[in-house]
mmCIF file of all heavy atoms in Angstrom:
data_model
loop_
_atom_site.group_PDB
_atom_site.id
_atom_site.type_symbol
_atom_site.label_atom_id
_atom_site.label_comp_id
_atom_site.label_asym_id
_atom_site.label_seq_id
_atom_site.Cartn_x
_atom_site.Cartn_y
_atom_site.Cartn_z
ATOM 1 N N HIS L 308 88.498 21.236 36.561
ATOM 2 C CA HIS L 308 87.225 20.561 36.833
ATOM 3 C C HIS L 308 86.109 21.530 37.198
ATOM 4 O O HIS L 308 85.073 21.125 37.702
ATOM 5 C CB HIS L 308 87.407 19.544 37.965
ATOM 6 C CG HIS L 308 88.522 18.590 37.702
ATOM 7 N ND1 HIS L 308 88.495 17.692 36.668
ATOM 8 C CD2 HIS L 308 89.714 18.420 38.319
ATOM 9 C CE1 HIS L 308 89.614 16.991 36.659
ATOM 10 N NE2 HIS L 308 90.378 17.419 37.651
ATOM 11 N N PHE L 309 86.315 22.810 36.922
ATOM 12 C CA PHE L 309 85.371 23.842 37.329
ATOM 13 C C PHE L 309 83.953 23.594 36.816
ATOM 14 O O PHE L 309 82.983 23.783 37.537
ATOM 15 C CB PHE L 309 85.860 25.217 36.861
ATOM 16 C CG PHE L 309 84.941 26.339 37.231
ATOM 17 C CD1 PHE L 309 84.855 26.767 38.551
ATOM 18 C CD2 PHE L 309 84.152 26.961 36.281
ATOM 19 C CE1 PHE L 309 84.000 27.801 38.911
ATOM 20 C CE2 PHE L 309 83.302 27.993 36.634
ATOM 21 C CZ PHE L 309 83.229 28.411 37.949
ATOM 22 N N LEU L 310 83.804 23.176 35.587
ATOM 23 C CA LEU L 310 82.482 23.011 34.997
ATOM 24 C C LEU L 310 81.942 21.590 35.091
ATOM 25 O O LEU L 310 80.875 21.311 34.553
ATOM 26 C CB LEU L 310 82.498 23.458 33.527
ATOM 27 C CG LEU L 310 82.750 24.945 33.318
ATOM 28 C CD1 LEU L 310 82.825 25.252 31.825
ATOM 29 C CD2 LEU L 310 81.685 25.782 33.969
ATOM 30 N N GLU L 311 82.649 20.713 35.784
ATOM 31 C CA GLU L 311 82.164 19.350 35.916
ATOM 32 C C GLU L 311 80.956 19.316 36.846
ATOM 33 O O GLU L 311 80.794 20.170 37.703
ATOM 34 C CB GLU L 311 83.284 18.447 36.428
ATOM 35 C CG GLU L 311 84.329 18.227 35.357
ATOM 36 C CD GLU L 311 85.382 17.238 35.780
ATOM 37 O OE1 GLU L 311 85.320 16.698 36.891
ATOM 38 O OE2 GLU L 311 86.293 17.020 34.978
ATOM 39 N N PRO L 312 80.131 18.297 36.670
ATOM 40 C CA PRO L 312 78.909 18.226 37.482
ATOM 41 C C PRO L 312 79.207 18.115 38.977
ATOM 42 O O PRO L 312 80.209 17.537 39.378
ATOM 43 C CB PRO L 312 78.218 16.963 36.977
ATOM 44 C CG PRO L 312 79.224 16.223 36.189
ATOM 45 C CD PRO L 312 80.290 17.186 35.783
ATOM 46 N N ARG L 313 78.305 18.682 39.765
ATOM 47 C CA ARG L 313 78.404 18.634 41.223
ATOM 48 C C ARG L 313 77.033 18.279 41.780
ATOM 49 O O ARG L 313 76.023 18.376 41.091
ATOM 50 C CB ARG L 313 78.822 19.999 41.763
ATOM 51 C CG ARG L 313 80.164 20.451 41.286
ATOM 52 C CD ARG L 313 80.547 21.771 41.958
ATOM 53 N NE ARG L 313 81.787 22.244 41.391
ATOM 54 C CZ ARG L 313 81.955 23.416 40.835
ATOM 55 N NH1 ARG L 313 80.970 24.265 40.785
ATOM 56 N NH2 ARG L 313 83.116 23.765 40.336
ATOM 57 N N LEU L 314 77.014 17.932 43.056
ATOM 58 C CA LEU L 314 75.733 17.711 43.723
ATOM 59 C C LEU L 314 75.025 19.054 43.894
ATOM 60 O O LEU L 314 75.667 20.082 44.070
ATOM 61 C CB LEU L 314 75.957 17.072 45.094
ATOM 62 C CG LEU L 314 76.361 15.606 45.085
ATOM 63 C CD1 LEU L 314 76.706 15.147 46.494
ATOM 64 C CD2 LEU L 314 75.263 14.740 44.514
ATOM 65 N N ALA L 315 73.721 19.007 43.845
ATOM 66 C CA ALA L 315 72.928 20.222 44.022
ATOM 67 C C ALA L 315 73.106 20.758 45.440
ATOM 68 O O ALA L 315 73.321 19.982 46.369
ATOM 69 C CB ALA L 315 71.455 19.919 43.755
ATOM 70 N N PRO L 316 73.021 22.057 45.619
ATOM 71 C CA PRO L 316 73.104 22.621 46.972
ATOM 72 C C PRO L 316 72.051 21.986 47.878
ATOM 73 O O PRO L 316 70.915 21.777 47.477
ATOM 74 C CB PRO L 316 72.820 24.108 46.768
ATOM 75 C CG PRO L 316 73.155 24.361 45.329
ATOM 76 C CD PRO L 316 72.848 23.082 44.599
ATOM 77 N N LYS L 376 82.037 10.152 38.780
ATOM 78 C CA LYS L 376 81.745 11.283 37.890
ATOM 79 C C LYS L 376 81.761 12.600 38.668
ATOM 80 O O LYS L 376 82.226 13.624 38.166
ATOM 81 C CB LYS L 376 80.387 11.069 37.227
ATOM 82 C CG LYS L 376 80.012 12.109 36.212
ATOM 83 C CD LYS L 376 78.701 11.766 35.553
ATOM 84 C CE LYS L 376 78.294 12.807 34.553
ATOM 85 N NZ LYS L 376 76.990 12.500 33.935
ATOM 86 N N LEU L 377 81.270 12.567 39.898
ATOM 87 C CA LEU L 377 81.230 13.763 40.743
ATOM 88 C C LEU L 377 82.519 13.963 41.528
ATOM 89 O O LEU L 377 82.615 14.889 42.317
ATOM 90 C CB LEU L 377 80.044 13.657 41.716
ATOM 91 C CG LEU L 377 78.669 13.707 41.081
ATOM 92 C CD1 LEU L 377 77.596 13.274 42.069
ATOM 93 C CD2 LEU L 377 78.375 15.097 40.543
#
Side-chain angles (χ1 to χ4, degrees):
H308 306 295
F309 180 73
L310 294 177
E311 289 185 1
R313 298 184 185 124
L314 286 173
K376 184 176 179 182
L377 293 167

